[in-house]
Structures are given as C-alpha cells and as structure tokens.
Amino acid sequence: MIKTCIKLLAFCSIAMSVFTACQSDDVDNDKDNNIAQHIYTIKAESTAAQDSTIRSRVLAVDVNNKKVLHSTWAAGDKLIAFVSSDGTSNNRNSYWTISADKSGKGSTFTGQIAAKSNATVKATDDLCFFYPGAAVGKSIQPVTETGKDNDKPYHDEVDHISNLLALNLTLQDGTAETIGKLYDFQYKKVKPTSVNGSTIDAKIGDMKRIVSLWGLRFTDNNNHILTNIDSVYISNIKGSDVFDLSTGSFVTDNPTDESMNIVVTPPTGQKVSSAGGKYTYISLLPGTYTDVLIMVYVGNKCYKKEYASITFDEG
C-alpha cells in the first residue's frame, strides 16, 4: 500500500438549541389497583438557535457556505426525560421521552415522565433532558458500573434505564445528517418551576452540546482534492465514554470504557469526497489530544496527516 501525506482544512462548528417549557393542561388520571400512578405530562416550547431555513433537526450544510451547519426541529424529534435521583435503580426498560409536535425553528415538545417505584416528582427534583432520544440502542446505551480494574471503574450495558449513558461515536459516515440523528449529543438538567397534579412546568432553556463537531477536507501534498475516498481512520481521539445524566459530566478515570479512535465509512454505494468544497463531518468527545493520526484510504493508497497536539472544546 502506498503511503503519502494529506493536507487538511478543518473547522469546528458550534451550535446550540434553546428550549422553554410551559405548563400543560393535560392530566393523566389512570389508576391501577386503586393506586394513583404518578406519571406526569410535560409540554416544552422549543426554539432552535440556528437558521430556520432548513426544516429538519438533522444537521444540514449551508448551500452557500459549507462550513456552516444549520439545524432546526423536525416533527417527532425526541429528548430523553429522566428523574435524576433515580440513578441506576429504575427498572423501566425504556426511557421516558418528549417529542416535537411540529417541524420548524420553534416547536412544542410533549411527553411523559415518571420516577422509580411510583414516587412523586417534586419541585425540588432535578429533571435531565438528553438529545437524541431516538439514538438509544444505536449510539446510546444505558449502563451501570459493574466492577473495577486497578481501582478504575468499568461499565456494562443493562436492560433498564439508567442515569449512566454509554456514548459511542466510533463508527460514523461523515455526513452532517447522520451526526444530527445519532451523534449530536446535547444535555440539560433543570428543576421544575412547578408541579401541579399530573402536570410539570419546567423551563429547560439552552441545551448544552457535549461533543465537538469537526469538518475536514482532504488534499494531497500537491493540493489536489481527494475524491473516491473509501474510508477515514482517526486515532488518539476519544470516540466513546460514559456520561452521567445526574452530574452532567463524563465519568472520569475509566479507560476501559474509552475508545481512542473513530472510523468513517460512507453510506453504502457512496464515497467520501472533498470535491466542490465538500467537508467530511465528524462528532467527537472534547479534550486535548496528542499524536493524533488521520489516515485516508483511496483505493490502494493511504494518505496521512499527524497532529502533535490538538484541542477540541464542547459545542
């Protein structure tokens, strides 16, 4: 295999989504064995922070400037809704979610939430919201700590919901659309502003993006644009870890849970290409990384680029 060098044009994209929750008039009065079920209805009015000309929450590339990614909500987009105090001990097998009622820059999210063991939700409780809710079972898995290796914790998947989420970004296809669906992880924790009967009023405000978005273009040593790229391999950047909904941070000192590579392979029947100003988009976990190696495979050739040190911030 022939190895040579590539030149990269890169940028990091920052975006934020804004939510404001308002009180719902809906009340759930279902009873089981004469015991009130403490299931609460949430309604949240959401306004995306970016341009609304692209009518989909999926990240989309600006037609005039391919460095710019637009996002807005699509009907049916889901947020995980979780009661923080439930920790890892809620036996429910699927997360409660709230969903966008319509497409557009602004949308109303509605759904339900409940605490473990039929406990009441109080105004002093912390509620956690995480996007994308539809990625559970794909790039998101609930986990619990199952042991320690040299005093360092490790986690395994469980069949019930948990405040610990294993996030996996190691296999991507380089498109903004797929990042928007599976890897654009965003989070917020708030307390209810009020709890009235079976209705929760909460102001979610700004969601916090907990990943970095990296846009790459590839050229050879002579500044010739690379096309027909079969795959891209990036080593020594973090592609997986465990996020704690209750603390709003990643678990620390858990190397067994961390993968230090990301592989980009295009959708079936397609190639990665930098022609026409196109970028290859990657979502990764923030941090300062050393000895980062990017390898681009085109047929029987391997082009490479190395970074002695590079830093990625959230957002």
Side-chain angles (χ1 to χ4, degrees):
M1 179 175 289
I2 301 171
K3 292 188 177 181
T4 185
C5 295
I6 54 172
K7 293 183 179 179
L8 300 176
L9 301 174
F11 75 95
C12 294
S13 173
I14 299 176
M16 198 68 68
S17 299
V18 180
F19 296 80
T20 302
C22 62
Q23 185 172 340
S24 168
D25 294 327
D26 297 330
V27 176
D28 189 305
N29 291 316
D30 289 344
K31 297 180 182 295
D32 182 20
N33 294 328
N34 296 319
I35 298 175
Q37 300 299 296
H38 295 130
I39 299 175
Y40 300 82
T41 296
I42 300 177
K43 181 180 287 185
E45 293 182 359
S46 163
T47 303
Q50 293 194 13
D51 195 326
S52 62
T53 57
I54 308 297
R55 297 189 62 80
S56 171
R57 174 55 184 80
V58 173
L59 291 172
V61 182
D62 187 279
V63 294
N64 298 313
N65 184 352
K66 292 180 173 59
K67 289 184 179 180
V68 178
L69 297 177
H70 293 290
S71 68
T72 185
W73 297 110
D77 280 340
K78 297 181 184 296
L79 298 176
I80 291 172
F82 185 83
V83 180
S84 177
S85 59
D86 283 1
T88 60
S89 58
N90 190 320
N91 291 324
R92 179 179 167 83
N93 60 16
S94 62
Y95 285 99
W96 297 99
T97 61
I98 55 176
S99 301
D101 293 342
K102 63 179 181 179
S103 298
K105 186 173 182 180
S107 182
T108 300
F109 282 69
T110 57
Q112 294 181 315
I113 190 172
K116 67 179 180 181
S117 303
N118 199 33
T120 58
V121 175
K122 304 179 291 296
T124 54
D125 287 331
D126 288 320
L127 305 180
C128 305
F129 299 92
F130 197 87
Y131 178 85
V136 176
K138 300 171 184 176
S139 57
I140 299 172
Q141 294 288 354
V143 296
T144 60
E145 182 180 326
T146 51
K148 294 193 178 200
D149 185 6
N150 293 324
D151 293 326
K152 300 179 187 299
Y154 57 86
H155 302 76
D156 288 304
E157 295 179 12
V158 290
D159 60 0
H160 58 83
I161 64 176
S162 169
N163 64 329
L164 299 178
L165 301 177
L167 307 182
N168 190 338
L169 305 93
T170 57
L171 298 175
Q172 301 183 37
D173 66 9
T175 67
E177 179 181 2
T178 299
I179 288 176
K181 291 179 179 179
L182 296 178
Y183 306 110
D184 189 15
F185 300 131
Q186 299 185 37
Y187 165 83
K188 190 65 179 289
K189 180 174 69 175
V190 301
K191 295 182 186 297
T193 55
S194 66
V195 180
N196 296 315
S198 295
T199 298
I200 291 176
D201 180 10
K203 296 186 182 300
I204 301 176
D206 294 341
M207 295 286 285
K208 178 184 179 183
R209 175 174 278 123
I210 62 169
V211 294
S212 290
L213 303 181
W214 196 11
L216 297 170
R217 296 186 65 218
F218 306 107
T219 68
D220 64 17
N221 237 12
N222 297 314
N223 285 324
H224 296 143
I225 295 295
L226 295 182
T227 60
N228 295 314
I229 298 169
D230 298 305
S231 61
V232 179
Y233 181 88
I234 308 174
S235 62
N236 294 328
I237 61 172
K238 193 182 295 184
S240 67
D241 206 349
V242 175
F243 185 80
D244 188 334
L245 291 172
S246 297
T247 65
S249 59
F250 286 96
V251 174
T252 59
D253 205 23
N254 57 320
T256 302
D257 302 315
E258 300 172 351
S259 175
M260 296 302 293
N261 63 79
I262 292 175
V263 178
V264 177
T265 54
T268 302
Q270 300 182 33
K271 298 283 188 177
V272 174
S273 174
S274 294
K278 291 180 181 178
Y279 282 81
T280 298
Y281 300 99
I282 299 163
S283 179
L284 55 93
L285 299 180
T288 296
Y289 302 108
T290 58
D291 301 322
V292 174
L293 175 64
I294 301 177
M295 293 184 290
V296 178
Y297 294 90
V298 183
N300 67 342
K301 292 184 178 180
C302 176
Y303 300 86
K304 69 177 182 178
K305 170 72 176 181
E306 297 178 80
Y307 290 91
S309 178
I310 187 168
T311 297
F312 297 95
D313 297 323
E314 292 177 333

